[in-house]
Amino acid sequence: MSKVCRLIFQNRVLPGKSIIIDKKLFLNAKPAIRIYRWSCPTVSIGCGQNLDDFRNFIKKGYKVVKRITGGGAVIHRDDICFSIVIPKSASFFGNIKDTIYKIQSGIRNVLNPYIKKIKINLKEPDRYTKFCFLTKSKYDLVSLRRKISGVAFYKSAKAIIYQGSIDIGKLNFSFNEFSNLLVNEWQKYFFKN
Amino acid sequence: MYPEKLKYLPSHLWVDIETKNIIKIGFTRYLAGQLGKIFLIETPKAGERVSKNKNLITVLTPKGKVDFPCFASGKVLEVNSSVLENPDILISECYSNWILKMKIQKLPRLLSSKKYKELIHV
């Protein structure tokens, strides 16, 4: 991928706005990494999921939004989320599995000193649930029985966007510190020519 | 892995040329491996006209969504209903299950098995 990549860090962003930003970045089809947190408790559901199945979250005060990527619903509270846009021109554009593995490797490298036995799950899941963090899919980042990070994607003819959520638990990272560490790791994979 | 009798598109579809402008298309082994599992596949209906670069096939997997643009304008002659009912057969038996039979105006530039393998670094 090009050495020029747009970086966006947003500590707190409104759910509706977040969805629009990702859609614009995806349609723009230029390299971008966006790291953000949600401004309020939010459930983001996959593009193939039905909003009606999550109405009970609205009653509980959550905002419910639909992502452009697939995958299961994610309950966002203090997690850190990211979006990575890769244009068609990147040599690894079509290699979805390998790219997800590299994204998760970067996160693992950042969290490795702080979370015990953190590793990339290489097994296919026994079952799929409607919630992302209840399904341990292949290439999810896990620690013991806990899921740390999951990634979903949407690929068109011009670009692919990966969206993910990282449950950092009670780790005492500042948002900017964590975002910079993450970008430093990812640049090994995505910023090179 | 990549039968020589078939031709290939860079979007990882195989093309079986029946006559000059009648073709069948399906997913390559490489693509099947990338998708892993398919929840849902959406295609135009038989008889529908399709335009180049417009969306032709959409696939929903557990982790994502993939749009396949149309590589040539034409008309869908037939849709393989068995892959719509059980899309996972596109993963397990990708070369024996075609998705669409189409009549196209002009064949796009197609890759040979050898060239396609070079593209995916096999």
Side-chain angles (χ1 to χ4, degrees), chain A residues 47 71 95-97 128 137 140 151-155 157, chain B residues 30 33-34 37 39 60-67 69:
Chain A
C47 62
N95 201 337
I96 300 166
K97 281 188 169 178
Y128 291 98
S137 300
D140 280 346
V151 181
F153 66 90
Y154 175 28
K155 182 174 181 279
Chain B
Y30 176 82
Q34 290 289 318
K37 184 172 176 63
F39 279 168
L60 194 64
T61 76
K63 282 288 191 180
K65 185 178 163 188
V66 185
D67 288 342

Side-chain angles (χ1 to χ4, degrees), chain A residues 37 70 84 114 123 177 189:
Chain A
R37 288 200 295 188
I84 300 174
Y114 310 100
K123 291 180 195 161
E177 181 191 5
Y189 308 120

Side-chain angles (χ1 to χ4, degrees), chain B residues 1 3 5-6 8 14 16 24-29 32 80 82-83 86 88-100:
Chain B
M1 287 273 274
K5 64 173 185 172
L6 299 174
Y8 300 86
W14 56 254
D16 186 9
K24 282 179 180 169
I25 57 168
F27 289 167
T28 66
R29 173 69 63 86
N80 186 353
S82 58
V83 304
N86 181 16
D88 266 343
I89 57 174
L90 290 169
I91 304 290
S92 54
E93 297 159 61
C94 57
Y95 294 114
S96 45
N97 291 290
W98 52 274
I99 304 167
L100 297 175

Side-chain angles (χ1 to χ4, degrees), chain B residues 40-121:
Chain B
L40 182 75
I41 180 163
E42 289 175 347
T43 66
K45 292 188 175 82
E48 264 185 56
R49 293 204 166 272
V50 288
S51 304
K52 191 177 176 181
N53 297 330
K54 297 280 180 190
N55 200 32
L56 181 67
I57 300 170
T58 296
V59 171
L60 194 64
T61 76
K63 282 288 191 180
K65 185 178 163 188
V66 185
D67 288 342
F68 294 88
C70 195
F71 43 86
S73 296
K75 188 178 176 183
V76 175
L77 299 178
E78 208 177 329
V79 181
N80 186 353
S81 58
S82 58
V83 304
L84 299 185
E85 286 159 18
N86 181 16
D88 266 343
I89 57 174
L90 290 169
I91 304 290
S92 54
E93 297 159 61
C94 57
Y95 294 114
S96 45
N97 291 290
W98 52 274
I99 304 167
L100 297 175
K101 185 174 179 179
M102 297 171 66
K103 184 175 184 180
I104 54 170
Q105 288 173 359
K106 189 184 170 192
L107 268 180
R109 180 178 282 190
L110 298 169
L111 304 174
S112 65
S113 170
K114 189 183 167 195
K115 289 279 180 198
Y116 180 68
K117 282 192 272 189
E118 282 172 19
L119 178 80
I120 57 169
H121 308 293

